[in-house]
């Protein structure tokens, strides 16, 4: 419940296994973003329990939140890149803020840029690349800290169909390497083609949870 007494989620009980690929669908205002904010501890539930890996959110203190955030990488529809940093620097920054040594940063960043297909773009600025490439940078930045879980909140919302599919394929590849992926999307074609687990949220409740789900709203 938000301070204005809006009940954004109610009676939600979900278990997501390690290495799963899960899509969360629901119309605008259904509660998807609230669910994500709870998972990254940006919001606190009024009641109920959240456990990620072995971390019980009731028992972690403030000092442990950065540790939790390292376990969960998040990418958003609007990329949230730093415009004054190059592609390489945007990714490196995620490591710098967590105190990683320069030698380790120099090793990790090129590797991750290669994984997302941006080896050639390290020296350019966000304004010089396409939307699809920007989302790849955001994914690289989220992944460079080796999170166990990658949350992609409407990652294709600002992309054309071709770039959208490229991003989805990248998420599938990342999932294959062993990262749990949580995807929220409004894109019906993508959800139906994925043939993965689909959790449907409506007015704050899980109304459907299917192993091979379809987008039905
Ligand atoms: P979705 O991501 O599915 O569009 P949200 O989780 O953003 O849905 O919203 C769920 C409900 O909670 C909506 O009724 C929305 O208006 C409300 N809500 C979201 N964020 C806040 C907030 N910070 N304060 C008050 N109400 C909010």
């Amino acid at each position: 419940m938000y301070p204005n007494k809006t009940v954004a989620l109610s009676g939600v009980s979900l278990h997501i296994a390690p290495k799963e690929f899960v899509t969360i669908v629901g119309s605008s205002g259904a509660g998807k973003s609230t669910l994500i904010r709870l998972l990254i501890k940006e919001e606190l539930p009024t009641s109920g329990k959240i456990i990620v890996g072995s971390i019980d959110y009731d028992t972690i203190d403030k000092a442990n939140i950065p540790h939790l955030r390292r376990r969960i990488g998040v990418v958003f529809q609007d990329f949230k890149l730093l415009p004054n940093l190059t592609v390489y620097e945007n990714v490196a920054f995620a490591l710098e803020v967590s105190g990683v040594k320069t030698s380790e940063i120099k090793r990790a960043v090129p590797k991750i840029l290669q994984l997302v297909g941006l080896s050639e773009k390290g020296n350019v600025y966000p304004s010089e690349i396409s939307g699809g490439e920007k989302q790849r940078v955001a994914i690289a930045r989220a992944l460079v800290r080796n999170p166990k879980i990658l949350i992609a909140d409407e990652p294709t919302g600002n992309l054309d169909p071709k770039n959208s599919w490229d991003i989805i394929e990248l998420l599938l590849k990342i999932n294959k390497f062993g990262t749990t992926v949580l995807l929220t999307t409004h894109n019906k074609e993508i959800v139906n083609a994925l043939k993965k687990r689909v959790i449907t949220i409506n007015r704050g409740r899980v109304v459907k949870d299917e192993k091979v789900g379809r987008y039905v709203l």
Side-chain angles (χ1 to χ4, degrees):
M1 183 162 67
Y2 283 106
N4 65 0
K5 299 213 166 17
T6 302
V7 176
L9 290 173
S10 175
V12 172
S13 175
L14 288 171
H15 180 262
I16 294 171
K19 306 183 187 199
E20 248 192 301
F21 188 113
V22 181
T23 308
I24 299 171
V25 303
S27 42
S28 183
K32 304 179 299 295
S33 306
T34 302
L35 181 61
I36 287 167
R37 286 204 291 273
L38 287 169
L39 289 174
I40 56 177
K41 216 169 189 289
E42 253 180 34
E43 293 288 348
L44 297 174
T46 323
S47 65
K49 211 164 192 42
I50 302 169
I51 300 174
V52 172
S54 54
I55 304 178
D56 181 337
Y57 284 27
D58 288 340
T59 60
I60 59 171
D61 52 31
K62 264 209 175 114
N64 278 326
I65 292 180
H67 173 68
L68 172 76
R69 300 239 166 97
R70 272 200 291 283
R71 291 186 144 217
I72 305 179
V74 192
V75 299
F76 302 96
Q77 176 170 353
D78 59 354
F79 323 123
K80 299 194 194 300
L81 300 179
L82 296 167
N84 300 325
L85 299 184
T86 64
V87 165
Y88 180 100
E89 289 163 350
N90 262 280
V91 179
F93 188 67
L95 293 176
E96 282 160 16
V97 293
S98 32
V100 176
K101 281 192 298 197
T102 311
S103 57
E104 172 56 20
I105 294 176
K106 283 190 175 150
R107 197 190 61 80
V109 177
K111 237 172 92 178
I112 210 84
L113 286 180
Q114 190 185 16
L115 174 82
V116 302
L118 287 179
S119 289
E120 312 297 314
K121 304 270 176 171
N123 291 326
V124 304
Y125 287 87
S127 59
E128 301 169 281
I129 56 177
S130 71
E133 288 170 333
K134 284 187 189 123
Q135 194 57 287
R136 285 169 186 276
V137 179
I139 291 173
R141 182 179 57 183
L143 275 188
V144 77
R145 297 198 285 194
N146 266 322
K148 298 258 185 270
I149 305 167
L150 179 66
I151 296 177
D153 191 6
E154 290 279 354
T156 62
N158 282 336
L159 305 179
D160 62 28
K162 161 85 176 80
N163 276 306
S164 295
W165 271 112
D166 288 348
I167 291 298
I168 296 297
E169 271 160 23
L170 179 57
L171 294 178
L172 287 168
K173 177 164 119 181
I174 290 161
N175 177 245
K176 257 200 172 144
F177 284 144
T179 307
T180 308
V181 174
L182 235 71
L183 164 73
T184 77
T185 182
H186 275 108
N187 191 313
K188 194 171 175 172
E189 284 92 85
I190 285 175
V191 175
N192 291 342
L194 273 172
K195 300 192 168 40
K196 297 279 189 190
R197 180 175 172 193
V198 177
I199 295 169
T200 307
I201 299 185
N202 187 22
R203 297 188 187 182
R205 291 183 178 270
V206 174
V207 292
K208 219 181 287 169
D209 183 353
E210 295 176 315
K211 241 185 152 35
V212 178
R214 290 185 63 77
Y215 187 104
V216 187
L217 286 179

